[in-house]
Amino acid sequence: MISRLAVASVLAVAAAAAAGPVSAQQPPVVTVSVVPDQDPFYAAPSDIGSLGNGQVVAGREIRTTLPIPVRAWQVSYRTNDSHGNAELGITTLLVPTAPWTGPGSRPAVSEQIPEDATGTRCAPSYGIATGTLQSGDQFAAMLAEGWAVAVPDFEGPKSASFTGPQSGHAILDGVRAAGGFTPAGLGPDTRWALDGYSGGAAATGWAAELRPTYAPELAFAGAAIGGVPASLPAVMNNVEGGVFSGFLVGVLVCYQREFPEARIDELLNLRGRADIAAAADLCVIELLIRYPFWRLAAATADGYHDDSRLTEALQRNSLGGSAPTMPILNYSVRLRRGGARSAGGRPGRGLAARGSDGRHHPRPSGRTRSGGVAAAVHGPAVPPGPAHRR
Protein backbone atom coordinates (compact mmCIF):
# COMPACT_ATOMS: atom_id res chain seq x y z
CA MET A 1 0.00 0.00 0.00
CA ILE A 2 2.79 2.41 0.94
CA SER A 3 4.70 1.59 -2.24
CA ARG A 4 1.58 2.16 -4.31
CA LEU A 5 1.00 5.61 -2.78
CA ALA A 6 4.58 6.69 -3.35
CA VAL A 7 4.73 5.69 -6.98
CA ALA A 8 1.26 7.13 -7.49
CA SER A 9 2.55 10.53 -6.47
CA VAL A 10 5.59 10.11 -8.70
CA LEU A 11 3.25 9.57 -11.63
CA ALA A 12 0.43 11.89 -10.61
CA VAL A 13 1.98 14.84 -12.42
CA ALA A 14 2.08 12.96 -15.72
CA ALA A 15 -0.15 14.22 -18.53
CA ALA A 16 0.34 13.32 -22.15
CA ALA A 17 -1.57 12.21 -25.23
CA ALA A 18 -3.80 9.17 -24.78
CA ALA A 19 -2.02 5.90 -25.35
CA GLY A 20 -2.95 3.63 -28.23
CA PRO A 21 -4.42 0.21 -27.49
CA VAL A 22 -2.32 -2.88 -27.01
CA SER A 23 -1.58 -4.50 -30.33
CA ALA A 24 -4.45 -6.64 -31.58
CA GLN A 25 -2.04 -9.32 -32.80
CA GLN A 26 -2.13 -12.43 -30.65
CA PRO A 27 1.14 -14.37 -30.92
CA PRO A 28 1.36 -17.79 -29.28
CA VAL A 29 1.38 -17.55 -25.50
CA VAL A 30 4.23 -19.49 -23.88
CA THR A 31 4.10 -21.51 -20.69
CA VAL A 32 7.59 -21.25 -19.18
CA SER A 33 8.73 -24.52 -17.66
CA VAL A 34 12.54 -24.59 -17.81
CA VAL A 35 15.03 -22.54 -15.81
CA PRO A 36 16.82 -19.68 -17.59
CA ASP A 37 20.13 -21.52 -17.86
CA GLN A 38 18.38 -24.17 -20.00
CA ASP A 39 16.06 -21.82 -21.90
CA PRO A 40 17.31 -20.71 -25.35
CA PHE A 41 15.36 -17.44 -24.97
CA TYR A 42 17.97 -16.32 -22.41
CA ALA A 43 20.93 -17.03 -24.71
CA ALA A 44 22.62 -13.97 -26.23
CA PRO A 45 22.96 -13.90 -30.03
CA SER A 46 26.47 -13.98 -31.40
CA ASP A 47 26.14 -10.46 -32.81
CA ILE A 48 24.79 -8.82 -29.65
CA GLY A 49 27.71 -6.40 -29.61
CA SER A 50 26.52 -4.88 -32.88
CA LEU A 51 23.13 -3.90 -31.44
CA GLY A 52 22.34 -0.57 -29.85
CA ASN A 53 21.83 -0.22 -26.10
CA GLY A 54 18.28 -1.25 -25.30
CA GLN A 55 17.64 -2.67 -28.77
CA VAL A 56 15.13 -5.51 -28.62
CA VAL A 57 16.49 -8.96 -29.47
CA ALA A 58 13.31 -11.01 -29.00
CA GLY A 59 9.97 -11.06 -27.23
CA ARG A 60 7.44 -13.68 -26.25
CA GLU A 61 4.08 -13.50 -24.55
CA ILE A 62 3.88 -15.64 -21.42
CA ARG A 63 1.22 -17.01 -19.12
CA THR A 64 1.21 -15.82 -15.52
CA THR A 65 -0.72 -16.59 -12.36
CA LEU A 66 -1.10 -12.95 -11.33
CA PRO A 67 -4.45 -12.10 -9.67
CA ILE A 68 -5.00 -9.15 -12.04
CA PRO A 69 -5.82 -9.68 -15.73
CA VAL A 70 -2.74 -8.67 -17.68
CA ARG A 71 -0.87 -9.37 -20.85
CA ALA A 72 2.71 -10.31 -20.06
CA TRP A 73 5.81 -10.48 -22.21
CA GLN A 74 9.41 -11.39 -21.64
CA VAL A 75 11.59 -9.11 -23.72
CA SER A 76 15.31 -9.60 -24.31
CA TYR A 77 17.59 -6.74 -25.30
CA ARG A 78 21.18 -5.63 -25.53
CA THR A 79 22.69 -4.06 -22.43
CA ASN A 80 26.18 -3.83 -20.88
CA ASP A 81 27.94 -5.24 -17.85
CA SER A 82 29.97 -3.16 -15.40
CA HIS A 83 32.90 -3.02 -17.83
CA GLY A 84 30.87 -1.95 -20.85
CA ASN A 85 30.81 -5.41 -22.42
CA ALA A 86 27.62 -6.30 -24.31
CA GLU A 87 25.31 -8.83 -22.67
CA LEU A 88 21.69 -9.92 -22.91
CA GLY A 89 19.15 -8.30 -20.63
CA ILE A 90 15.66 -9.57 -19.83
CA THR A 91 12.66 -7.59 -18.62
CA THR A 92 9.10 -8.71 -18.01
CA LEU A 93 6.44 -6.29 -19.27
CA LEU A 94 3.03 -6.43 -17.60
CA VAL A 95 0.14 -4.42 -19.06
CA PRO A 96 -3.38 -4.59 -17.59
CA THR A 97 -5.97 -5.78 -20.08
CA ALA A 98 -8.44 -3.14 -18.88
CA PRO A 99 -8.26 0.09 -20.90
CA TRP A 100 -6.49 3.02 -19.26
CA THR A 101 -9.10 5.59 -18.20
CA GLY A 102 -6.88 8.05 -16.38
CA PRO A 103 -5.45 11.30 -17.74
CA GLY A 104 -2.91 11.13 -20.53
CA SER A 105 -1.19 7.92 -21.51
CA ARG A 106 -0.93 4.82 -19.35
CA PRO A 107 1.88 5.37 -16.79
CA ALA A 108 4.65 2.80 -16.42
CA VAL A 109 6.92 1.83 -13.55
CA SER A 110 10.19 -0.05 -13.65
CA GLU A 111 10.00 -2.11 -10.47
CA GLN A 112 13.29 -3.53 -9.20
CA ILE A 113 12.67 -6.67 -7.16
CA PRO A 114 15.31 -7.32 -4.45
CA GLU A 115 16.64 -10.56 -5.87
CA ASP A 116 19.99 -10.72 -3.99
CA ALA A 117 20.69 -14.16 -5.46
CA THR A 118 23.51 -16.05 -7.15
CA GLY A 119 21.51 -18.14 -9.65
CA THR A 120 19.37 -17.25 -12.66
CA ARG A 121 16.61 -19.58 -11.45
CA CYS A 122 15.93 -16.83 -8.89
CA ALA A 123 15.47 -14.15 -11.58
CA PRO A 124 12.18 -12.18 -11.47
CA SER A 125 11.34 -13.12 -15.07
CA TYR A 126 11.37 -16.82 -14.19
CA GLY A 127 9.50 -16.26 -10.92
CA ILE A 128 6.73 -14.26 -12.59
CA ALA A 129 6.35 -16.80 -15.38
CA THR A 130 6.20 -19.80 -13.03
CA GLY A 131 4.31 -18.25 -10.12
CA THR A 132 7.24 -18.71 -7.74
CA LEU A 133 8.12 -15.03 -7.22
CA GLN A 134 7.89 -14.14 -3.54
CA SER A 135 8.04 -10.32 -3.82
CA GLY A 136 5.26 -9.40 -6.22
CA ASP A 137 2.93 -7.49 -3.92
CA GLN A 138 4.43 -4.14 -4.91
CA PHE A 139 3.78 -4.38 -8.62
CA ALA A 140 0.44 -6.15 -8.14
CA ALA A 141 -0.83 -2.97 -6.45
CA MET A 142 0.51 -0.91 -9.36
CA LEU A 143 -1.22 -3.12 -11.90
CA ALA A 144 -4.45 -2.70 -9.94
CA GLU A 145 -4.12 1.03 -10.56
CA GLY A 146 -3.95 0.37 -14.28
CA TRP A 147 -0.26 1.13 -14.65
CA ALA A 148 2.09 -0.87 -16.84
CA VAL A 149 5.00 -2.45 -14.99
CA ALA A 150 8.42 -3.54 -16.22
CA VAL A 151 10.35 -5.92 -13.96
CA PRO A 152 13.97 -6.24 -15.17
CA ASP A 153 16.36 -9.05 -14.31
CA PHE A 154 18.87 -6.39 -13.30
CA GLU A 155 21.39 -8.90 -11.93
CA GLY A 156 22.01 -9.90 -15.54
CA PRO A 157 23.04 -13.24 -17.01
CA LYS A 158 25.81 -13.69 -14.42
CA SER A 159 23.37 -13.25 -11.50
CA ALA A 160 25.55 -10.48 -10.07
CA SER A 161 23.94 -8.68 -7.13
CA PHE A 162 25.10 -5.27 -5.87
CA THR A 163 27.07 -4.59 -9.05
CA GLY A 164 26.16 -0.95 -9.53
CA PRO A 165 26.92 -0.04 -13.16
CA GLN A 166 25.68 -3.38 -14.50
CA SER A 167 22.35 -3.10 -12.70
CA GLY A 168 21.86 0.53 -13.73
CA HIS A 169 22.54 -0.33 -17.37
CA ALA A 170 20.06 -3.23 -17.26
CA ILE A 171 17.28 -1.05 -15.85
CA LEU A 172 17.74 1.86 -18.25
CA ASP A 173 18.14 -0.39 -21.27
CA GLY A 174 15.05 -2.29 -20.12
CA VAL A 175 13.03 0.95 -20.26
CA ARG A 176 14.44 1.59 -23.73
CA ALA A 177 13.46 -1.92 -24.81
CA ALA A 178 9.96 -1.55 -23.37
CA GLY A 179 9.44 1.59 -25.42
CA GLY A 180 10.61 -0.21 -28.55
CA PHE A 181 8.46 -3.31 -28.05
CA THR A 182 5.33 -2.54 -30.08
CA PRO A 183 2.94 -5.22 -28.71
CA ALA A 184 3.00 -3.67 -25.23
CA GLY A 185 1.77 -0.31 -26.51
CA LEU A 186 4.29 1.75 -24.51
CA GLY A 187 5.51 4.52 -26.77
CA PRO A 188 7.62 7.67 -26.53
CA ASP A 189 4.90 9.52 -24.58
CA THR A 190 4.76 6.96 -21.77
CA ARG A 191 5.61 8.55 -18.42
CA TRP A 192 7.99 6.37 -16.41
CA ALA A 193 8.97 6.12 -12.76
CA LEU A 194 11.46 3.90 -10.92
CA ASP A 195 10.85 2.00 -7.69
CA GLY A 196 12.87 -0.41 -5.59
CA TYR A 197 13.45 -1.59 -2.04
CA SER A 198 16.64 -2.94 -0.42
CA GLY A 199 18.75 -4.60 -3.15
CA GLY A 200 16.23 -3.28 -5.66
CA ALA A 201 16.73 0.21 -4.24
CA ALA A 202 20.50 0.01 -4.77
CA ALA A 203 19.91 -0.90 -8.43
CA THR A 204 17.29 1.84 -8.78
CA GLY A 205 19.69 4.39 -7.32
CA TRP A 206 22.36 3.40 -9.81
CA ALA A 207 19.90 3.79 -12.68
CA ALA A 208 19.03 7.28 -11.43
CA GLU A 209 22.71 8.23 -11.10
CA LEU A 210 23.65 6.88 -14.54
CA ARG A 211 20.65 8.21 -16.43
CA PRO A 212 22.10 11.68 -17.31
CA THR A 213 25.13 10.15 -19.06
CA TYR A 214 24.01 6.66 -20.07
CA ALA A 215 20.41 7.33 -21.16
CA PRO A 216 19.88 11.10 -21.39
CA GLU A 217 17.00 10.71 -23.84
CA LEU A 218 14.82 8.98 -21.21
CA ALA A 219 12.44 11.06 -19.09
CA PHE A 220 11.34 9.98 -15.61
CA ALA A 221 8.83 11.43 -13.17
CA GLY A 222 11.14 10.35 -10.36
CA ALA A 223 12.42 7.41 -8.34
CA ALA A 224 11.38 5.98 -4.98
CA ILE A 225 14.02 3.98 -3.08
CA GLY A 226 13.62 2.40 0.33
CA GLY A 227 15.85 0.53 2.77
CA VAL A 228 18.83 1.56 0.66
CA PRO A 229 22.17 -0.22 1.21
CA ALA A 230 24.02 2.96 0.27
CA SER A 231 27.51 2.13 1.56
CA LEU A 232 28.30 -1.48 0.72
CA PRO A 233 31.43 -1.68 2.92
CA ALA A 234 29.28 -0.59 5.88
CA VAL A 235 26.52 -3.05 5.00
CA MET A 236 28.89 -5.99 4.68
CA ASN A 237 30.64 -5.05 7.91
CA ASN A 238 27.28 -4.95 9.69
CA VAL A 239 25.98 -8.28 8.42
CA GLU A 240 29.25 -10.21 8.82
CA GLY A 241 28.99 -12.76 11.59
CA GLY A 242 25.25 -12.21 12.09
CA VAL A 243 22.04 -13.84 10.99
CA PHE A 244 22.18 -12.01 7.65
CA SER A 245 25.76 -12.93 6.77
CA GLY A 246 24.50 -14.92 3.79
CA PHE A 247 24.30 -11.57 1.98
CA LEU A 248 28.09 -11.28 2.29
CA VAL A 249 28.62 -14.77 0.90
CA GLY A 250 26.38 -13.92 -2.04
CA VAL A 251 28.28 -10.72 -2.79
CA LEU A 252 31.59 -12.60 -2.83
CA VAL A 253 30.15 -15.08 -5.34
CA CYS A 254 28.85 -12.26 -7.53
CA TYR A 255 32.01 -10.16 -7.39
CA GLN A 256 34.08 -13.13 -8.49
CA ARG A 257 31.96 -13.18 -11.64
CA GLU A 258 31.53 -9.48 -12.37
CA PHE A 259 34.90 -8.17 -11.16
CA PRO A 260 37.59 -10.78 -11.84
CA GLU A 261 40.18 -8.01 -11.47
CA ALA A 262 39.38 -7.94 -7.73
CA ARG A 263 40.82 -11.49 -7.47
CA ILE A 264 38.40 -12.52 -4.74
CA ASP A 265 39.48 -16.16 -5.00
CA GLU A 266 43.01 -15.25 -3.95
CA LEU A 267 41.69 -13.87 -0.65
CA LEU A 268 40.02 -17.12 0.37
CA ASN A 269 41.39 -20.13 2.20
CA LEU A 270 40.18 -23.68 1.55
CA ARG A 271 37.04 -23.25 3.64
CA GLY A 272 36.23 -19.94 1.99
CA ARG A 273 36.60 -21.36 -1.49
CA ALA A 274 34.41 -24.34 -0.60
CA ASP A 275 31.70 -22.08 0.82
CA ILE A 276 31.74 -19.77 -2.20
CA ALA A 277 31.59 -22.71 -4.61
CA ALA A 278 28.62 -24.19 -2.74
CA ALA A 279 26.81 -20.84 -2.87
CA ALA A 280 27.04 -20.47 -6.65
CA ASP A 281 23.35 -21.12 -7.42
CA LEU A 282 21.25 -20.01 -4.47
CA CYS A 283 18.30 -17.69 -3.97
CA VAL A 284 18.42 -15.18 -1.14
CA ILE A 285 16.48 -17.26 1.40
CA GLU A 286 18.78 -20.20 0.74
CA LEU A 287 21.84 -18.00 1.26
CA LEU A 288 20.51 -16.75 4.58
CA ILE A 289 19.57 -20.24 5.79
CA ARG A 290 22.88 -21.85 4.84
CA TYR A 291 25.29 -19.15 5.96
CA PRO A 292 24.20 -17.56 9.25
CA PHE A 293 27.01 -16.23 11.47
CA TRP A 294 29.52 -16.59 8.63
CA ARG A 295 32.77 -14.63 9.08
CA LEU A 296 35.40 -13.62 6.59
CA ALA A 297 38.08 -14.05 9.22
CA ALA A 298 37.46 -17.80 9.13
CA ALA A 299 37.32 -17.93 5.34
CA THR A 300 40.32 -15.78 4.37
CA ALA A 301 44.00 -15.80 5.08
CA ASP A 302 44.24 -12.18 6.22
CA GLY A 303 40.64 -11.18 6.92
CA TYR A 304 38.31 -8.72 5.26
CA HIS A 305 39.65 -5.53 6.81
CA ASP A 306 43.27 -6.19 5.86
CA ASP A 307 42.63 -6.35 2.13
CA SER A 308 41.82 -3.20 0.20
CA ARG A 309 40.82 -4.87 -3.08
CA LEU A 310 37.49 -6.11 -1.70
CA THR A 311 36.71 -2.89 0.13
CA GLU A 312 37.57 -0.87 -2.96
CA ALA A 313 35.30 -3.03 -5.11
CA LEU A 314 32.46 -2.59 -2.62
CA GLN A 315 33.02 1.16 -2.48
CA ARG A 316 33.03 1.49 -6.27
CA ASN A 317 29.59 -0.11 -6.29
CA SER A 318 28.16 2.07 -3.54
CA LEU A 319 25.72 4.89 -4.26
CA GLY A 320 26.54 8.57 -4.05
CA GLY A 321 29.24 8.98 -6.69
CA SER A 322 27.17 11.39 -8.78
CA ALA A 323 23.93 13.31 -8.41
CA PRO A 324 20.74 12.08 -10.07
CA THR A 325 18.85 14.78 -11.93
CA MET A 326 15.42 13.26 -11.28
CA PRO A 327 13.50 13.68 -7.99
CA ILE A 328 14.47 11.00 -5.48
CA LEU A 329 12.44 9.81 -2.52
CA ASN A 330 14.53 7.90 0.02
CA TYR A 331 12.21 6.19 2.50
CA SER A 332 12.71 3.70 5.30
CA VAL A 333 10.57 1.24 7.21
CA ARG A 334 11.30 0.89 10.91
CA LEU A 335 11.02 -2.60 12.30
CA ARG A 336 9.77 -3.29 15.80
CA ARG A 337 13.08 -4.79 16.87
CA GLY A 338 15.31 -2.37 15.05
CA GLY A 339 16.87 -3.89 11.97
CA ALA A 340 19.24 -3.04 9.18
CA ARG A 341 17.50 0.19 8.17
CA SER A 342 20.56 2.30 8.87
CA ALA A 343 23.15 -0.35 8.07
CA GLY A 344 24.14 1.28 4.83
CA GLY A 345 23.73 4.91 5.79
CA ARG A 346 21.26 7.46 4.50
CA PRO A 347 21.83 8.24 0.84
CA GLY A 348 19.20 10.98 0.78
CA ARG A 349 21.57 13.39 2.50
CA GLY A 350 24.40 12.63 0.11
CA LEU A 351 22.18 12.91 -2.93
CA ALA A 352 20.80 16.23 -1.77
CA ALA A 353 24.29 17.52 -1.09
CA ARG A 354 25.23 16.66 -4.66
CA GLY A 355 22.32 18.61 -6.08
CA SER A 356 19.49 16.09 -6.50
CA ASP A 357 16.02 16.53 -5.07
CA GLY A 358 16.57 13.85 -2.42
CA ARG A 359 14.31 13.56 0.60
CA HIS A 360 14.33 11.07 3.48
CA HIS A 361 11.08 9.91 5.06
CA PRO A 362 11.10 7.46 7.97
CA ARG A 363 7.83 5.61 8.50
CA PRO A 364 7.25 3.18 11.37
CA SER A 365 5.93 -0.21 10.41
CA GLY A 366 4.98 -3.28 12.39
CA ARG A 367 5.74 -5.66 9.54
CA THR A 368 9.04 -6.83 8.11
CA ARG A 369 7.80 -6.38 4.58
CA SER A 370 10.29 -5.44 1.89
CA GLY A 371 8.36 -2.68 0.23
CA GLY A 372 6.67 0.58 0.89
CA VAL A 373 7.32 4.25 0.42
CA ALA A 374 6.64 6.80 3.12
CA ALA A 375 5.77 9.87 1.09
CA ALA A 376 5.53 11.20 -2.42
CA VAL A 377 8.03 12.56 -4.85
CA HIS A 378 6.43 15.66 -6.33
CA GLY A 379 7.31 17.71 -9.40
CA PRO A 380 7.38 17.33 -13.17
CA ALA A 381 9.22 14.62 -15.00
CA VAL A 382 12.87 15.21 -15.74
CA PRO A 383 12.97 16.10 -19.45
CA PRO A 384 15.50 14.74 -21.90
CA GLY A 385 18.64 16.82 -22.39
CA PRO A 386 18.67 19.55 -25.08
CA ALA A 387 20.21 17.25 -27.67
CA HIS A 388 17.52 14.62 -27.07
CA ARG A 389 14.31 16.65 -26.95
CA ARG A 390 11.59 15.43 -29.26
Side-chain angles (χ1 to χ4, degrees), residues 9 46 94 103 124 152 265 305 323 343:
S9 62
S46 59
L94 305 169
D265 186 65
H305 299 289

Side-chain angles (χ1 to χ4, degrees), residues 126-213:
Y126 181 70
I128 293 171
T130 58
T132 58
L133 187 70
Q134 299 180 4
S135 303
D137 57 334
Q138 298 99 321
F139 66 76
M142 298 170 191
L143 292 169
E145 294 288 342
W147 307 336
V149 178
V151 186
D153 293 354
F154 62 80
E155 287 195 6
K158 296 190 288 288
S159 293
S161 62
F162 297 104
T163 54
Q166 187 276 331
S167 60
H169 296 160
I171 295 165
L172 295 170
D173 287 329
V175 172
R176 284 169 163 157
F181 186 69
T182 303
L186 303 177
D189 292 325
T190 298
R191 187 62 57 91
W192 283 87
L194 303 172
D195 183 47
Y197 188 86
S198 188
T204 301
W206 269 97
E209 289 192 5
L210 290 175
R211 175 256 171 195
T213 55

Side-chain angles (χ1 to χ4, degrees), residues 82 103 154 288:
S82 296
F154 62 80
L288 296 177

Side-chain angles (χ1 to χ4, degrees), residues 232 255 259 262 308-318:
L232 293 182
Y255 277 32
F259 305 110
S308 62
R309 283 180 285 140
L310 178 56
T311 56
E312 287 175 1
L314 290 168
Q315 189 58 50
R316 285 197 306 272
N317 288 275
S318 297

Side-chain angles (χ1 to χ4, degrees), residues 30-348:
V30 176
T31 299
V32 176
S33 59
V34 295
V35 295
D37 286 347
Q38 300 174 18
D39 189 339
F41 185 81
Y42 288 77
S46 59
D47 63 345
I48 190 169
S50 66
L51 304 181
N53 293 340
Q55 185 172 342
V56 173
V57 174
R60 63 182 182 184
E61 189 166 8
I62 61 170
R63 291 186 174 87
T64 73
T65 59
L66 295 173
I68 298 166
V70 299
R71 291 187 70 185
W73 296 267
Q74 290 177 341
V75 179
S76 62
Y77 54 93
R78 183 253 169 92
T79 188
N80 301 285
D81 68 9
S82 296
H83 299 90
N85 301 315
E87 64 182 17
L88 192 74
I90 304 288
T91 191
T92 303
L93 300 183
L94 305 169
V95 180
T97 56
W100 171 249
T101 58
S105 60
R106 187 191 297 272
V109 181
S110 180
E111 176 68 25
Q112 282 62 250
I113 299 295
E115 183 181 345
D116 304 338
T118 61
T120 59
R121 64 187 175 87
C122 316
S125 62
Y126 181 70
I128 293 171
T130 58
T132 58
L133 187 70
Q134 299 180 4
S135 303
D137 57 334
Q138 298 99 321
F139 66 76
M142 298 170 191
L143 292 169
E145 294 288 342
W147 307 336
V149 178
V151 186
D153 293 354
F154 62 80
E155 287 195 6
K158 296 190 288 288
S159 293
S161 62
F162 297 104
T163 54
Q166 187 276 331
S167 60
H169 296 160
I171 295 165
L172 295 170
D173 287 329
V175 172
R176 284 169 163 157
F181 186 69
T182 303
L186 303 177
D189 292 325
T190 298
R191 187 62 57 91
W192 283 87
L194 303 172
D195 183 47
Y197 188 86
S198 188
T204 301
W206 269 97
E209 289 192 5
L210 290 175
R211 175 256 171 195
T213 55
Y214 187 77
E217 82 282 4
L218 298 180
F220 291 92
I225 55 177
V228 189
S231 170
L232 293 182
V235 171
M236 295 306 134
N237 183 56
N238 285 353
V239 302
E240 183 183 10
V243 294
F244 298 111
S245 55
F247 284 117
L248 175 56
V249 177
V251 165
L252 290 173
V253 173
C254 296
Y255 277 32
Q256 273 191 318
R257 299 168 178 172
E258 186 72 6
F259 305 110
E261 68 276 10
R263 307 194 306 279
I264 299 298
D265 186 65
E266 296 179 8
L267 309 178
L268 304 173
N269 57 27
L270 289 177
R271 175 195 166 178
R273 290 172 183 163
D275 286 346
I276 298 307
D281 183 24
L282 299 179
C283 298
V284 61
I285 298 301
E286 295 166 328
L287 284 167
L288 296 177
I289 291 174
R290 293 193 188 188
Y291 299 100
F293 313 112
W294 193 89
R295 289 188 176 276
L296 269 170
T300 64
D302 299 319
Y304 164 68
H305 299 289
D306 296 330
D307 188 275
S308 62
R309 283 180 285 140
L310 178 56
T311 56
E312 287 175 1
L314 290 168
Q315 189 58 50
R316 285 197 306 272
N317 288 275
S318 297
L319 289 170
S322 61
T325 55
M326 68 180 71
I328 301 290
L329 174 72
N330 170 34
Y331 67 93
S332 59
V333 177
R334 293 197 188 107
L335 308 182
R336 285 178 177 171
R337 298 184 180 179
R341 180 177 68 88
S342 60
R346 273 175 50 176

